[in-house]
Amino acid sequence: NAGVMQNPRHLVRRRGQEARLRCSPMKGHSHVYWYRQLPEEGLKFMVYLQKENIIDESGMPKERFSAEFPKEGPSILRIQQVVRGDSAAYFCASSPGLGGQETQYFGPGTRLLVL
Amino acid sequence: AQKITQTQPGMFVQEKEAVTLDCTYDTSDPSYGLFWYKQPSSGEMIFLIYQGSYDQQNATEGRYSLNFQKARKSANLVISASQLGDSAMYFCAMRERKSGGSNYKLTFGKGTLLTVNP
């Protein structure tokens, strides 16, 4: 049973370029979360999505960042016109959406480096 | 105010000994969940253990147990019989579920770096 998959694992962009990070949730999971981890920090919540719906984007920067989870295909976190401060590890997590314990299982992360 | 506080930036333990990693939390929500995750140097986040606010007993998973003291708002992770492979960063996290809501986002502490010495 495959876990949460993220690609790419490492991504290098120059300032001003776009970064697209992909996340495929665990089989049977309908909830997806994105978190960002800056160096020496814990993970910070960015956005919570269900299929075709953004449920909570309170942790997303107001500009340049967007996320989607289409009916078919992976969830995408998109960062436009990247800046050096966007360099971080971006983690995707998924959960089954059944309530209760609702453990989130994390992918391996995408390490974004902005030159 | 921080929602999750991990006061130990780093901890050292001798192989085969037990170690306790501290975590205190702050919430006014009566229904919440507490999680511990392990992040080895390879970078992935590995779920270890969960404690619900209404659970009567402390959670246990193999060598991991959670010392849940609700009145003190603490949820310390105890690792028994430490192994070299336990060397990693450990994060405590909380999920609050607001009344009538369905938001499951996690709030993380800053982590504790555990080093197991041979």
Side-chain angles (χ1 to χ4, degrees):
Chain A
N1 191 12
V4 178
M5 300 178 69
Q6 288 188 251
N7 67 82
R9 294 289 302 273
H10 298 274
L11 183 60
V12 180
R13 285 288 178 265
R14 295 191 181 280
R15 281 179 296 168
Q17 291 184 319
E18 179 179 287
R20 279 185 180 241
L21 287 60
R22 293 174 185 77
C23 169
S24 296
M26 283 180 73
K27 188 176 180 181
H29 285 191
S30 60
H31 292 205
V32 166
Y33 313 78
W34 285 93
Y35 294 83
R36 177 163 66 174
Q37 185 179 30
L38 295 171
E40 312 296 327
E41 297 269 332
L43 278 69
K44 294 276 197 301
F45 168 79
M46 298 180 75
V47 62
Y48 162 38
L49 310 104
Q50 296 175 21
K51 285 282 188 184
E52 299 185 281
N53 281 308
I54 297 175
I55 307 302
D56 181 351
E57 54 182 347
S58 59
M60 288 275 272
K62 294 278 187 278
E63 297 175 350
R64 301 187 298 108
F65 285 71
S66 62
E68 62 177 9
F69 189 16
K71 188 176 180 182
E72 301 290 339
S75 176
I76 306 283
L77 179 68
R78 184 181 176 208
I79 312 172
Q80 295 177 289
Q81 299 175 318
V82 295
V83 301
R84 289 216 173 110
D86 297 332
S87 294
Y90 291 83
F91 287 92
C92 167
S94 73
S95 68
L98 299 175
Q101 176 173 333
E102 200 66 21
T103 296
Q104 293 179 22
Y105 294 91
F106 283 79
T110 294
R111 271 84 187 159
L112 173 65
L113 175 62
V114 180
L115 301 177
Chain B
Q2 285 193 18
K3 294 226 172 194
I4 295 285
T5 302
Q6 295 181 253
T7 57
Q8 308 151 314
M11 287 283 285
F12 292 87
V13 66
Q14 232 21 63
E15 195 178 5
K16 299 180 185 174
E17 291 185 351
V19 63
T20 298
L21 306 183
D22 295 342
C23 173
T24 57
Y25 59 92
D26 181 28
T27 181
S28 57
D29 191 344
S31 176
Y32 54 90
L34 296 156
F35 300 78
W36 278 91
Y37 287 86
K38 172 184 178 182
Q39 187 177 41
S41 57
S42 50
E44 69 268 34
M45 293 287 289
I46 302 167
F47 166 70
L48 294 178
I49 196 166
Y50 165 82
Q51 180 85 43
S53 58
Y54 293 121
D55 292 345
Q56 296 295 315
Q57 293 188 331
N58 287 345
T60 59
E61 288 286 349
R63 294 186 299 110
Y64 304 109
S65 60
L66 203 152
N67 183 0
F68 182 44
Q69 299 190 38
K70 196 169 182 177
R72 294 186 177 183
K73 293 189 174 179
S74 75
N76 298 340
L77 176 70
V78 180
I79 306 175
S80 62
S82 297
Q83 301 172 356
L84 296 178
D86 294 334
S87 293
M89 199 74 169
Y90 288 80
F91 290 98
C92 178
M94 176 172 65
R95 185 207 69 220
E96 297 169 282
R97 183 171 179 178
K98 302 300 182 188
S99 175
S102 60
N103 193 335
Y104 298 109
K105 69 182 180 185
L106 296 176
T107 303
F108 284 81
K110 290 186 181 293
T112 296
L113 180 61
L114 176 67
T115 303
V116 180
N117 294 318

